[in-house]
Amino acid sequence: MGFFSNLFGGHRSSTTTTTVDRPFRIANPTIGFLNLQGSSGTALAAADQRVLSPLFKASHASTDMVPNCEVLFLYCTLDAQGKILGNANSIRDLIKNAGAYVAVVASENSPDSYIKAMRTRNDWHANIALVIDRKADKLALFFRHWFEAMFKGRSMLMVWVELAPQIPGQDHPDAPGTIMAAEAGHVTFGG
């Protein structure tokens, strides 16, 4: 189970528990791509946009301002303390500023940096995929399959378990190496 805050009139309200039978539904999600890596993130962001943007009603890209979106792809480099190089915000703060309930740090960082980056929480609940190994073009294709299933009403977490079971030591050749922080619980797309 996870928790999310309902949106009423654009303001956050009461916290609700999500379940596989009662997921948080995002009717018409938009996707955003925030590249904070400069030229090293440009090709990654462009490749992911080409594959993923056609699935969504709108797509926004930026290299400085956080796009307003329900699904955020973030390209950043973390230092040894888990801080984003060249940006004062934390991963969680950027996700909250976007209004995203699903986020993917789509650039490769070390597990230790991610652990440090995720220690401090805020009041925003999102499911966050943290990429350790993109496995080249497999990242965008993996998330395309994932989002297509969510648009069919399937719970994000149930699809995740099918596409990338989190079994220590097991490699999934068609899935990127990731860590999932499932803090919003069951989320799906569509009305």
Side-chain angles (χ1 to χ4, degrees), residues 7-31:
L7 294 175
F8 293 104
H11 295 85
R12 292 174 49 114
S13 177
S14 63
T15 299
T16 304
T17 302
T18 65
T19 67
V20 72
D21 296 322
R22 285 184 342 149
F24 176 46
R25 292 191 185 279
I26 303 170
N28 293 304
T30 59
I31 190 167

Side-chain angles (χ1 to χ4, degrees), residues 7-176:
L7 294 175
F8 293 104
H11 295 85
R12 292 174 49 114
S13 177
S14 63
T15 299
T16 304
T17 302
T18 65
T19 67
V20 72
D21 296 322
R22 285 184 342 149
F24 176 46
R25 292 191 185 279
I26 303 170
N28 293 304
T30 59
I31 190 167
F33 299 87
L34 178 59
N35 176 17
L36 300 177
Q37 282 190 310
S39 60
S40 64
T42 301
L44 298 176
D48 293 345
Q49 281 179 268
R50 262 191 313 279
V51 173
L52 299 171
S53 291
L55 298 174
F56 293 84
K57 74 171 187 167
S59 174
H60 309 286
S62 177
T63 58
D64 55 0
M65 299 296 295
V66 180
N68 186 15
C69 56
E70 290 83 14
V71 178
L72 176 66
F73 271 60
L74 174 62
Y75 306 83
C76 64
T77 301
L78 299 177
D79 67 16
Q81 287 73 44
K83 296 187 185 301
I84 298 172
L85 293 180
N87 195 291
N89 291 296
S90 70
I91 290 171
R92 290 180 190 278
D93 289 340
L94 292 171
I95 294 166
K96 179 180 179 178
N97 292 343
Y101 290 100
V102 176
V104 178
V105 179
S107 49
E108 297 175 349
N109 287 285
S110 73
D112 188 52
S113 292
Y114 281 133
I115 289 167
K116 290 176 180 168
M118 300 301 286
R119 277 192 184 141
T120 304
R121 293 184 180 231
N122 59 20
D123 62 346
W124 188 261
H125 299 283
N127 289 342
I128 308 166
L130 307 164
V131 175
I132 298 165
D133 181 358
R134 284 180 58 95
K135 292 188 182 174
D137 64 341
K138 296 193 177 182
L139 179 123
L141 295 174
F142 171 82
F143 283 102
R144 182 175 182 91
H145 294 305
W146 192 28
F147 294 145
E148 286 172 337
M150 290 176 68
F151 275 110
K152 292 178 182 174
R154 307 253 340 267
S155 162
M156 177 179 176
L157 299 183
M158 301 309 289
V159 175
W160 186 264
V161 169
E162 291 172 14
L163 295 177
Q166 302 296 297
I167 302 169
Q170 184 176 358
D171 182 42
H172 303 285
D174 293 325

